[in-house]
Amino acid sequence: MYNKEVIDMMFPKKEIVEKIRKEYPKGTRVKLVRMDDFQAPPIGTLGTVIGVDDTGSIMVSWDNGSSLNVIYNVDKCIKI
């Protein structure tokens, strides 16, 4: 079982999630900069944001057909 400090480190506060949702609203076009996953789309792949989940991860429909999320504080994408 995790204690509160560990959970706080793993998941962003609600205010941060709301900030990410405002910065990356549904329909925003993004470009992948970094993704720590062996199945990740190639760096530079473009995609469309379909939402932001409660963990702050940006849900993206990548142009190459992938649907891997951009994980908060692990992966990185930029708006284009």
Side-chain angles (χ1 to χ4, degrees):
M1 180 182 291
Y2 292 109
N3 65 30
K4 184 179 179 339
E5 290 176 5
V6 172
I7 290 172
D8 286 346
M9 288 174 37
M10 293 172 52
F11 299 107
K13 296 180 189 260
K14 290 180 184 181
E15 297 82 17
I16 293 173
V17 172
E18 287 307 314
K19 181 181 177 203
I20 296 168
R21 286 182 174 143
K22 287 179 182 173
E23 188 175 349
Y24 292 92
K26 184 177 180 179
T28 301
R29 293 288 290 165
V30 295
K31 180 178 180 180
L32 184 62
V33 174
R34 177 182 68 240
M35 185 174 279
D36 188 21
D37 191 306
F38 73 96
Q39 294 181 332
I43 299 305
T45 300
L46 304 178
T48 303
V49 174
I50 58 175
V52 175
D53 69 17
D54 290 339
T55 68
S57 294
I58 302 169
M59 301 179 290
V60 180
S61 175
W62 298 103
D63 291 355
N64 70 348
S66 175
S67 60
L68 290 176
N69 294 350
V70 178
I71 306 296
Y72 175 76
N73 266 351
V74 176
D75 306 322
K76 183 175 181 178
C77 67
I78 56 173
K79 292 194 281 187
I80 54 170

Coordinates of all heavy atoms in Angstrom, one line a residue:
M1 N 0.8 -1.2 0.0 CA 0.0 0.0 0.0 C 0.9 1.2 0.0 O 1.9 1.3 0.7 CB -0.9 0.0 1.2 CG -1.8 1.2 1.3 SD -2.9 1.3 2.7 CE -4.0 0.0 2.4
Y2 N 0.5 2.2 -0.8 CA 1.2 3.5 -0.9 C 0.8 4.5 0.2 O -0.4 4.5 0.6 CB 1.0 4.2 -2.2 CG 1.6 3.4 -3.4 CD1 0.8 2.7 -4.3 CD2 3.0 3.4 -3.5 CE1 1.4 2.0 -5.3 CE2 3.6 2.7 -4.6 CZ 2.8 2.0 -5.5 OH 3.3 1.4 -6.5
N3 N 1.7 5.3 0.7 CA 1.3 6.3 1.6 C 1.0 7.6 0.8 O 1.3 7.7 -0.4 CB 2.3 6.6 2.7 CG 3.7 7.1 2.2 OD1 3.7 7.8 1.2 ND2 4.7 6.8 2.9
K4 N 0.4 8.6 1.5 CA 0.0 9.8 0.8 C 1.1 10.5 0.1 O 0.9 11.0 -1.0 CB -0.7 10.7 1.8 CG -1.3 12.0 1.1 CD -2.0 12.8 2.1 CE -2.6 14.1 1.6 NZ -2.1 14.6 0.3
E5 N 2.3 10.5 0.7 CA 3.4 11.2 0.1 C 3.8 10.6 -1.3 O 4.1 11.3 -2.2 CB 4.6 11.3 1.0 CG 4.4 12.1 2.2 CD 5.6 12.1 3.2 OE1 6.6 11.4 2.9 OE2 5.5 12.7 4.2
V6 N 3.8 9.3 -1.3 CA 4.1 8.6 -2.6 C 3.1 8.8 -3.6 O 3.4 9.1 -4.8 CB 4.3 7.1 -2.3 CG1 4.4 6.3 -3.6 CG2 5.5 6.8 -1.4
I7 N 1.8 8.8 -3.2 CA 0.7 9.0 -4.2 C 0.8 10.5 -4.7 O 0.6 10.7 -5.9 CB -0.7 8.8 -3.5 CG1 -0.8 7.3 -3.3 CG2 -1.8 9.3 -4.3 CD1 -2.0 6.9 -2.5
D8 N 1.1 11.4 -3.8 CA 1.2 12.8 -4.3 C 2.3 13.0 -5.3 O 2.3 13.8 -6.2 CB 1.4 13.8 -3.1 CG 0.2 14.0 -2.2 OD1 -0.9 13.6 -2.7 OD2 0.3 14.5 -1.1
M9 N 3.4 12.2 -5.1 CA 4.5 12.3 -6.1 C 4.1 11.6 -7.4 O 4.6 12.1 -8.5 CB 5.7 11.6 -5.5 CG 6.4 12.3 -4.4 SD 7.8 11.4 -3.6 CE 8.6 10.6 -4.9
M10 N 3.3 10.6 -7.4 CA 2.9 9.9 -8.6 C 1.8 10.6 -9.4 O 1.8 10.6 -10.6 CB 2.4 8.5 -8.2 CG 3.5 7.6 -7.7 SD 2.8 6.0 -7.0 CE 1.9 5.4 -8.4
F11 N 0.9 11.3 -8.7 CA -0.2 11.9 -9.4 C -0.3 13.4 -9.1 O -0.1 13.8 -8.0 CB -1.5 11.3 -9.0 CG -1.6 9.8 -9.3 CD1 -1.5 8.9 -8.3 CD2 -1.8 9.4 -10.6 CE1 -1.6 7.5 -8.5 CE2 -1.9 8.0 -10.9 CZ -1.8 7.1 -9.9
P12 N -0.5 14.2 -10.1 CA -0.5 15.7 -9.9 C -1.8 16.1 -9.2 O -2.8 15.4 -9.2 CB -0.5 16.3 -11.3 CG -1.1 15.2 -12.2 CD -0.7 13.9 -11.5
K13 N -1.7 17.2 -8.5 CA -2.9 17.8 -7.9 C -4.0 18.2 -8.9 O -3.6 18.4 -10.1 CB -2.5 19.0 -7.0 CG -1.6 18.6 -5.9 CD -1.2 19.8 -5.1 CE -0.1 19.5 -4.1 NZ -0.4 19.3 -2.8
K14 N -5.2 18.3 -8.4 CA -6.3 18.7 -9.3 C -6.0 20.0 -10.1 O -6.4 20.1 -11.2 CB -7.6 18.8 -8.6 CG -8.1 17.4 -8.1 CD -9.4 17.6 -7.3 CE -9.9 16.3 -6.7 NZ -11.2 16.4 -6.0
E15 N -5.4 20.9 -9.4 CA -5.1 22.2 -10.0 C -4.2 22.1 -11.2 O -4.4 22.7 -12.2 CB -4.5 23.2 -9.0 CG -5.4 23.5 -7.8 CD -5.4 22.5 -6.7 OE1 -4.5 21.7 -6.7 OE2 -6.4 22.5 -5.9
I16 N -3.2 21.2 -11.1 CA -2.3 20.9 -12.2 C -3.0 20.3 -13.4 O -2.8 20.6 -14.5 CB -1.1 20.1 -11.7 CG1 -0.3 21.0 -10.7 CG2 -0.2 19.7 -12.9 CD1 0.9 20.3 -10.0
V17 N -3.8 19.3 -13.0 CA -4.6 18.6 -14.1 C -5.5 19.6 -14.8 O -5.5 19.5 -16.1 CB -5.4 17.4 -13.5 CG1 -6.3 16.8 -14.6 CG2 -4.5 16.3 -12.9
E18 N -6.1 20.5 -14.1 CA -7.0 21.5 -14.8 C -6.1 22.4 -15.7 O -6.6 22.8 -16.8 CB -7.8 22.3 -13.8 CG -8.9 21.4 -13.1 CD -9.8 20.8 -14.2 OE1 -10.2 21.5 -15.1 OE2 -10.1 19.6 -14.0
K19 N -5.0 22.8 -15.2 CA -4.1 23.6 -16.0 C -3.7 22.9 -17.3 O -3.7 23.5 -18.4 CB -2.8 24.0 -15.2 CG -1.8 24.8 -15.9 CD -0.6 25.1 -15.1 CE 0.3 26.0 -16.0 NZ 1.7 25.9 -15.5
I20 N -3.4 21.6 -17.2 CA -3.0 20.8 -18.4 C -4.2 20.7 -19.3 O -4.1 20.9 -20.6 CB -2.5 19.4 -18.0 CG1 -1.2 19.5 -17.2 CG2 -2.3 18.5 -19.3 CD1 -0.8 18.2 -16.5
R21 N -5.4 20.6 -18.8 CA -6.6 20.5 -19.6 C -6.9 21.8 -20.4 O -7.3 21.8 -21.5 CB -7.8 20.1 -18.8 CG -7.8 18.7 -18.4 CD -9.1 18.3 -17.6 NE -9.1 16.9 -17.3 CZ -9.5 16.3 -16.2 NH1 -9.9 17.0 -15.2 NH2 -9.4 15.0 -16.1
K22 N -6.6 22.9 -19.7 CA -6.7 24.2 -20.4 C -5.7 24.4 -21.5 O -5.9 25.0 -22.5 CB -6.7 25.3 -19.4 CG -7.9 25.4 -18.5 CD -7.9 26.5 -17.5 CE -9.1 26.5 -16.7 NZ -9.1 27.5 -15.5
E23 N -4.4 23.9 -21.2 CA -3.3 24.1 -22.1 C -3.5 23.2 -23.3 O -3.0 23.5 -24.5 CB -2.0 23.9 -21.4 CG -0.8 24.2 -22.3 CD 0.5 24.1 -21.5 OE1 0.5 23.9 -20.3 OE2 1.5 24.1 -22.2
Y24 N -4.1 22.0 -23.1 CA -4.2 21.0 -24.2 C -5.6 20.6 -24.4 O -6.0 19.4 -24.1 CB -3.3 19.8 -23.9 CG -1.8 20.1 -24.0 CD1 -1.1 20.5 -22.9 CD2 -1.2 20.0 -25.2 CE1 0.2 20.7 -22.9 CE2 0.2 20.3 -25.3 CZ 0.9 20.6 -24.1 OH 2.2 20.9 -24.2
P25 N -6.5 21.5 -24.8 CA -7.9 21.1 -25.0 C -8.1 20.1 -26.1 O -7.2 20.0 -27.0 CB -8.6 22.4 -25.3 CG -7.6 23.3 -25.8 CD -6.3 22.9 -25.2
K26 N -9.2 19.4 -26.1 CA -9.5 18.5 -27.2 C -9.4 19.2 -28.5 O -9.8 20.3 -28.7 CB -11.0 18.0 -27.0 CG -11.4 16.9 -28.0 CD -12.8 16.4 -27.7 CE -13.2 15.4 -28.7 NZ -14.6 14.9 -28.4
G27 N -8.7 18.5 -29.5 CA -8.6 19.0 -30.8 C -7.2 19.7 -31.0 O -6.8 20.0 -32.2
T28 N -6.5 19.9 -29.9 CA -5.1 20.6 -30.1 C -4.2 19.6 -30.8 O -4.2 18.4 -30.5 CB -4.5 20.9 -28.7 OG1 -5.4 21.7 -28.0 CG2 -3.2 21.5 -28.8
R29 N -3.4 20.2 -31.7 CA -2.5 19.4 -32.5 C -1.1 19.4 -31.7 O -0.7 20.5 -31.2 CB -2.3 20.0 -33.9 CG -3.5 19.8 -34.8 CD -3.7 18.4 -35.2 NE -2.7 18.0 -36.1 CZ -2.5 16.7 -36.5 NH1 -3.2 15.7 -36.0 NH2 -1.5 16.4 -37.3
V30 N -0.5 18.3 -31.6 CA 0.8 18.2 -30.9 C 1.8 17.4 -31.7 O 1.5 16.7 -32.6 CB 0.5 17.5 -29.5 CG1 -0.3 18.3 -28.6 CG2 0.0 16.1 -29.6
K31 N 3.0 17.5 -31.2 CA 4.2 16.8 -31.8 C 4.9 16.1 -30.7 O 5.2 16.7 -29.6 CB 5.1 17.8 -32.5 CG 6.3 17.2 -33.1 CD 7.1 18.3 -33.8 CE 8.4 17.8 -34.5 NZ 9.1 18.9 -35.1
L32 N 5.2 14.8 -30.8 CA 5.9 14.1 -29.8 C 7.4 14.5 -29.7 O 8.1 14.5 -30.7 CB 5.8 12.6 -30.1 CG 6.4 11.6 -29.1 CD1 5.6 11.8 -27.7 CD2 6.3 10.2 -29.6
V33 N 7.8 14.8 -28.5 CA 9.2 15.1 -28.3 C 9.9 14.0 -27.6 O 11.1 13.7 -27.9 CB 9.3 16.4 -27.4 CG1 10.7 16.7 -27.0 CG2 8.6 17.6 -28.1
R34 N 9.2 13.3 -26.6 CA 9.9 12.2 -25.9 C 8.8 11.3 -25.3 O 7.8 11.8 -24.8 CB 10.7 12.8 -24.7 CG 11.3 11.7 -23.8 CD 12.1 12.3 -22.6 NE 11.2 13.0 -21.7 CZ 11.2 14.2 -21.3 NH1 12.1 15.0 -21.8 NH2 10.4 14.7 -20.5
M35 N 9.0 10.0 -25.5 CA 8.1 9.0 -24.9 C 8.8 7.8 -24.4 O 9.6 7.2 -25.2 CB 7.0 8.6 -25.8 CG 5.9 7.7 -25.2 SD 4.5 7.3 -26.3 CE 3.5 8.8 -26.1
D36 N 8.7 7.5 -23.2 CA 9.5 6.3 -22.6 C 8.6 5.1 -22.7 O 8.1 4.6 -21.7 CB 9.8 6.7 -21.1 CG 10.7 5.7 -20.5 OD1 11.4 5.0 -21.2 OD2 10.8 5.6 -19.2
D37 N 8.5 4.5 -23.9 CA 7.8 3.3 -24.1 C 8.3 2.7 -25.4 O 8.5 3.3 -26.4 CB 6.3 3.6 -24.3 CG 5.4 2.4 -24.3 OD1 5.7 1.5 -25.1 OD2 4.4 2.4 -23.5
F38 N 8.6 1.4 -25.3 CA 9.1 0.7 -26.5 C 8.2 0.7 -27.7 O 8.6 0.5 -28.8 CB 9.6 -0.7 -26.1 CG 8.5 -1.7 -25.9 CD1 8.1 -2.6 -27.0 CD2 7.9 -1.9 -24.7 CE1 7.1 -3.5 -26.8 CE2 6.9 -2.8 -24.5 CZ 6.5 -3.6 -25.5
Q39 N 6.9 0.9 -27.4 CA 5.9 0.9 -28.5 C 5.6 2.4 -28.9 O 4.6 2.6 -29.7 CB 4.6 0.2 -28.1 CG 4.8 -1.3 -27.9 CD 3.5 -2.0 -27.5 OE1 2.6 -1.4 -26.9 NE2 3.4 -3.2 -27.9
A40 N 6.3 3.3 -28.4 CA 6.1 4.7 -28.7 C 6.1 5.0 -30.2 O 6.9 4.4 -30.9 CB 7.1 5.6 -28.0
P41 N 5.3 6.0 -30.6 CA 5.5 6.5 -32.0 C 6.8 7.1 -32.2 O 7.4 7.5 -31.2 CB 4.4 7.5 -32.2 CG 3.5 7.3 -31.0 CD 4.2 6.7 -29.9
P42 N 7.4 7.2 -33.3 CA 8.6 7.9 -33.5 C 8.6 9.3 -33.1 O 7.6 10.0 -33.2 CB 8.9 7.8 -35.1 CG 8.0 6.7 -35.5 CD 6.8 6.7 -34.6
I43 N 9.7 9.8 -32.5 CA 9.8 11.2 -32.1 C 9.5 12.1 -33.3 O 9.9 11.8 -34.5 CB 11.3 11.5 -31.6 CG1 11.6 10.6 -30.4 CG2 11.4 13.0 -31.3 CD1 10.7 10.7 -29.3
G44 N 8.7 13.1 -33.1 CA 8.3 14.0 -34.2 C 6.9 13.6 -34.8 O 6.4 14.4 -35.6
T45 N 6.4 12.5 -34.3 CA 5.0 12.1 -34.8 C 4.0 13.2 -34.4 O 4.1 13.7 -33.2 CB 4.6 10.7 -34.3 OG1 5.6 9.8 -34.7 CG2 3.2 10.3 -34.7
L46 N 3.1 13.5 -35.2 CA 2.0 14.5 -34.9 C 0.8 13.7 -34.5 O 0.5 12.6 -34.9 CB 1.7 15.3 -36.2 CG 2.9 16.1 -36.8 CD1 2.5 16.9 -38.0 CD2 3.6 17.0 -35.7
G47 N -0.1 14.4 -33.7 CA -1.3 13.8 -33.3 C -2.3 14.9 -32.8 O -2.0 16.1 -32.8
T48 N -3.5 14.4 -32.5 CA -4.6 15.3 -32.0 C -5.0 14.9 -30.6 O -5.3 13.7 -30.4 CB -5.8 15.2 -33.0 OG1 -5.4 15.5 -34.3 CG2 -6.9 16.1 -32.6
V49 N -5.0 15.9 -29.7 CA -5.4 15.6 -28.3 C -6.9 15.2 -28.3 O -7.8 15.9 -28.9 CB -5.2 16.8 -27.5 CG1 -5.8 16.6 -26.1 CG2 -3.7 17.2 -27.4
I50 N -7.2 14.1 -27.6 CA -8.6 13.7 -27.4 C -9.1 14.0 -26.0 O -10.3 13.8 -25.7 CB -8.9 12.3 -27.9 CG1 -8.0 11.3 -27.1 CG2 -8.7 12.2 -29.4 CD1 -8.3 9.8 -27.4
G51 N -8.2 14.4 -25.1 CA -8.5 14.7 -23.7 C -7.3 14.6 -22.8 O -6.2 14.2 -23.2
V52 N -7.6 14.9 -21.6 CA -6.6 14.8 -20.5 C -7.2 14.0 -19.4 O -8.3 14.4 -18.9 CB -6.1 16.2 -20.0 CG1 -5.2 16.0 -18.8 CG2 -5.4 17.0 -21.1
D53 N -6.6 12.9 -19.0 CA -7.2 12.1 -17.9 C -6.9 12.6 -16.5 O -6.2 13.7 -16.4 CB -6.8 10.6 -18.0 CG -5.4 10.3 -17.7 OD1 -4.7 11.1 -17.1 OD2 -4.9 9.2 -18.1
D54 N -7.5 12.0 -15.5 CA -7.3 12.5 -14.1 C -5.9 12.4 -13.6 O -5.7 12.9 -12.5 CB -8.3 11.7 -13.2 CG -9.8 12.1 -13.5 OD1 -10.0 13.2 -14.1 OD2 -10.6 11.3 -13.1
T55 N -5.0 11.7 -14.3 CA -3.6 11.6 -13.8 C -2.8 12.7 -14.5 O -1.6 12.7 -14.3 CB -3.0 10.2 -14.1 OG1 -2.9 10.0 -15.5 CG2 -3.8 9.1 -13.4
G56 N -3.4 13.5 -15.3 CA -2.7 14.6 -16.1 C -2.1 14.1 -17.4 O -1.4 14.8 -18.0
S57 N -2.3 12.8 -17.7 CA -1.8 12.3 -19.0 C -2.6 12.9 -20.2 O -3.8 12.9 -20.1 CB -1.8 10.8 -19.0 OG -1.0 10.3 -18.1
I58 N -1.9 13.3 -21.2 CA -2.6 13.8 -22.4 C -2.9 12.6 -23.3 O -2.0 11.9 -23.7 CB -1.7 14.8 -23.1 CG1 -1.3 16.0 -22.2 CG2 -2.3 15.3 -24.4 CD1 -0.2 16.9 -22.7
M59 N -4.2 12.4 -23.6 CA -4.6 11.3 -24.5 C -4.6 11.9 -25.9 O -5.2 12.9 -26.2 CB -6.0 10.9 -24.1 CG -6.1 10.4 -22.7 SD -7.8 9.9 -22.1 CE -8.6 11.5 -22.1
V60 N -3.8 11.1 -26.8 CA -3.6 11.6 -28.1 C -3.9 10.5 -29.1 O -3.6 9.3 -28.9 CB -2.1 12.0 -28.3 CG1 -1.8 12.5 -29.7 CG2 -1.7 13.1 -27.3
S61 N -4.6 10.9 -30.2 CA -4.8 10.1 -31.3 C -3.6 10.4 -32.3 O -3.7 11.5 -33.0 CB -6.1 10.3 -32.0 OG -6.3 9.6 -33.1
W62 N -2.6 9.6 -32.3 CA -1.4 9.9 -33.2 C -1.8 9.6 -34.6 O -2.5 8.7 -35.0 CB -0.2 9.1 -32.7 CG 0.2 9.4 -31.3 CD1 0.0 8.7 -30.2 CD2 0.9 10.6 -30.9 NE1 0.5 9.3 -29.1 CE2 1.0 10.5 -29.5 CE3 1.4 11.7 -31.5 CZ2 1.7 11.5 -28.7 CZ3 2.0 12.7 -30.8 CH2 2.2 12.5 -29.4
D63 N -1.2 10.4 -35.5 CA -1.5 10.3 -36.9 C -1.0 9.0 -37.5 O -1.6 8.6 -38.6 CB -0.8 11.5 -37.7 CG -1.4 12.8 -37.4 OD1 -2.4 12.9 -36.7 OD2 -0.8 13.8 -38.0
N64 N -0.1 8.3 -36.9 CA 0.3 7.0 -37.4 C -0.6 5.8 -36.9 O -0.3 4.7 -37.1 CB 1.8 6.7 -37.0 CG 2.0 6.5 -35.5 OD1 1.1 6.7 -34.7 ND2 3.2 6.0 -35.2
G65 N -1.7 6.2 -36.1 CA -2.6 5.1 -35.7 C -2.4 4.7 -34.2 O -3.3 4.1 -33.6
S66 N -1.3 5.1 -33.6 CA -1.1 4.8 -32.2 C -2.0 5.7 -31.3 O -2.5 6.7 -31.7 CB 0.4 5.1 -31.8 OG 0.6 5.0 -30.4
S67 N -2.3 5.2 -30.1 CA -3.1 5.9 -29.2 C -2.5 6.0 -27.8 O -3.2 6.1 -26.8 CB -4.5 5.3 -29.1 OG -4.4 4.0 -28.7
L68 N -1.1 5.8 -27.7 CA -0.5 5.9 -26.4 C -0.6 7.3 -25.8 O -0.4 8.3 -26.5 CB 1.0 5.5 -26.5 CG 1.2 4.0 -26.8 CD1 2.7 3.8 -27.0 CD2 0.7 3.1 -25.7
N69 N -0.8 7.4 -24.5 CA -0.9 8.7 -23.8 C 0.4 9.3 -23.6 O 1.4 8.5 -23.4 CB -1.6 8.5 -22.5 CG -3.1 8.1 -22.6 OD1 -3.7 8.1 -23.7 ND2 -3.7 7.8 -21.5
V70 N 0.5 10.6 -23.5 CA 1.7 11.3 -23.1 C 1.6 11.4 -21.6 O 0.8 12.1 -21.0 CB 1.8 12.7 -23.7 CG1 3.0 13.4 -23.3 CG2 1.8 12.5 -25.3
I71 N 2.4 10.6 -20.9 CA 2.4 10.5 -19.4 C 2.9 11.7 -18.7 O 4.1 12.1 -19.0 CB 3.1 9.2 -18.9 CG1 2.6 8.0 -19.6 CG2 3.0 9.1 -17.4 CD1 1.2 7.6 -19.4
Y72 N 2.2 12.3 -17.8 CA 2.6 13.4 -17.0 C 3.9 13.2 -16.3 O 4.2 12.2 -15.7 CB 1.5 13.8 -16.0 CG 1.9 14.9 -15.0 CD1 1.9 16.2 -15.5 CD2 2.3 14.6 -13.7 CE1 2.2 17.3 -14.6 CE2 2.7 15.7 -12.9 CZ 2.6 17.0 -13.3 OH 3.0 18.0 -12.5
N73 N 4.9 14.1 -16.5 CA 6.2 14.1 -15.9 C 7.1 13.0 -16.3 O 8.1 12.7 -15.7 CB 6.1 14.1 -14.3 CG 6.2 15.5 -13.7 OD1 6.5 16.4 -14.4 ND2 6.0 15.5 -12.5
V74 N 6.7 12.3 -17.4 CA 7.6 11.2 -18.0 C 7.8 11.5 -19.5 O 9.0 11.6 -19.9 CB 6.9 9.8 -17.8 CG1 7.7 8.7 -18.5 CG2 6.7 9.5 -16.4
D75 N 6.7 11.7 -20.2 CA 6.8 11.9 -21.7 C 6.7 13.4 -21.9 O 6.3 14.2 -21.0 CB 5.8 11.1 -22.4 CG 5.8 9.6 -22.0 OD1 6.9 9.1 -21.9 OD2 4.7 9.0 -21.9
K76 N 6.9 13.8 -23.2 CA 6.7 15.2 -23.5 C 6.2 15.3 -25.0 O 6.7 14.7 -25.9 CB 8.0 15.9 -23.4 CG 7.9 17.4 -23.7 CD 9.2 18.1 -23.4 CE 9.0 19.6 -23.7 NZ 10.1 20.4 -23.4
C77 N 5.3 16.3 -25.1 CA 4.8 16.7 -26.4 C 4.7 18.2 -26.4 O 4.7 18.8 -25.4 CB 3.5 16.1 -26.8 SG 2.1 16.6 -25.8
I78 N 4.7 18.8 -27.6 CA 4.5 20.3 -27.7 C 3.4 20.6 -28.6 O 3.1 19.8 -29.5 CB 5.8 21.0 -28.2 CG1 6.2 20.4 -29.6 CG2 6.9 20.9 -27.2 CD1 7.4 21.1 -30.2
K79 N 2.7 21.7 -28.4 CA 1.7 22.2 -29.3 C 2.3 22.6 -30.6 O 3.4 23.2 -30.6 CB 0.8 23.3 -28.7 CG 0.0 22.9 -27.5 CD -1.0 23.9 -27.1 CE -0.4 25.0 -26.3 NZ -1.4 25.9 -25.8
I80 N 1.6 22.4 -31.7 CA 2.0 22.9 -33.0 C 1.0 23.8 -33.6 O -0.1 23.9 -33.2 CB 2.4 21.8 -34.0 CG1 1.2 20.8 -34.1 CG2 3.6 21.0 -33.4 CD1 1.4 19.8 -35.3

